[in-house]
Amino acid sequence: MLPRLLLSAALALVPLPALADVTAHYAVGKDGLSIEADDGGDWRVEVPGQFSLIRRDKLDYIVLVQDKETTVFKLDDLIALAKPKLFGAHKPSDPFTTARFALTDGGASEVAGYKGVRWNFGPEKADPNGPSLAVVTSKDPALAPIGAVFRALEQRVEGLAAGQFGAESNFVATVRRLFESGTPLSAAPLIVLRSVNTAEIDPKRFELPGPVLDSALLDLPGATDATTSMVPEAPPLP
């Protein structure tokens, strides 16, 4: 018994390995998208020349790039103003708002050298041979920090989308299940993982490039156009 106690005490004194910084590079249509997550909980999502999302000190910001000029706002402020454009197209009476969705296991898959599961996402009563969105997610622990970023962003969108679907729809719950299944590797043709590296990330990557502006500036005509154009158009579902 004594040797075991001594061994346990010795192991308790051994420092646990620190979480590694992780950077994932995705292709988003013709653009590239990078997600950087450091071991302190800060992260950065960027499409160069268009926008970046930055979490630092548990607060989220969006950096918009228009005509080579950058502006910084709180992400919550922009989401509040973009909501009508992003989700206002569907009325409560539209069939889309009451549709039931299914998430089915399509078997093992691999993207950029990472093993995962292929999920088929689409309406429950869809034609089995019709179009659906195929999403590959991975439980690989090396990708966990990237998965945490995806879940944080999904939760933001979930809060917006919840009010657009009736009680009959399970859309929000199904999307939540999808993101909880692991780190997204691909949702072809929308986004596809290309590479991952664990090089140390310069802390300056999480610094804001300018002062945080008043949200009232976002309410100007065309101010949220850059944001709504970020959202890729999903392929038609049956």
Side-chain angles (χ1 to χ4, degrees), residues 17-24 37-38 113-116 137-149 151 181-185 196-198:
L19 295 175
D21 293 356
V22 184
T23 301
D38 78 356
Y114 290 90
K115 298 183 183 300
T137 64
S138 174
K139 286 288 191 181
D140 192 317
L143 299 175
I146 302 301
V149 176
R151 286 194 299 277
S181 71
T183 303
L185 302 182
V196 176
N197 71 69
T198 56

Side-chain angles (χ1 to χ4, degrees), residues 11-35:
L11 290 175
L13 295 175
V14 176
L16 295 175
L19 295 175
D21 293 356
V22 184
T23 301
H25 297 279
Y26 290 82
V28 181
K30 296 181 180 179
D31 296 314
L33 178 145
S34 64
I35 300 178

Side-chain angles (χ1 to χ4, degrees), residues 92-133:
S93 58
D94 290 345
F96 180 78
T97 66
T98 58
R100 300 285 299 178
F101 289 82
L103 187 65
T104 58
D105 188 333
S109 186
E110 185 172 322
V111 178
Y114 290 90
K115 298 183 183 300
V117 175
R118 180 182 186 274
W119 301 96
N120 297 313
F121 174 78
E124 283 184 349
K125 297 181 179 180
D127 179 354
N129 298 317
S132 63
L133 185 62

Side-chain angles (χ1 to χ4, degrees), residues 81-92 94 97 160-161 163-164:
L81 288 171
K83 180 178 179 179
K85 290 189 176 184
L86 292 175
F87 298 105
H90 301 289
K91 300 178 181 178
D94 290 345
T97 66
L160 293 173
Q164 303 301 312

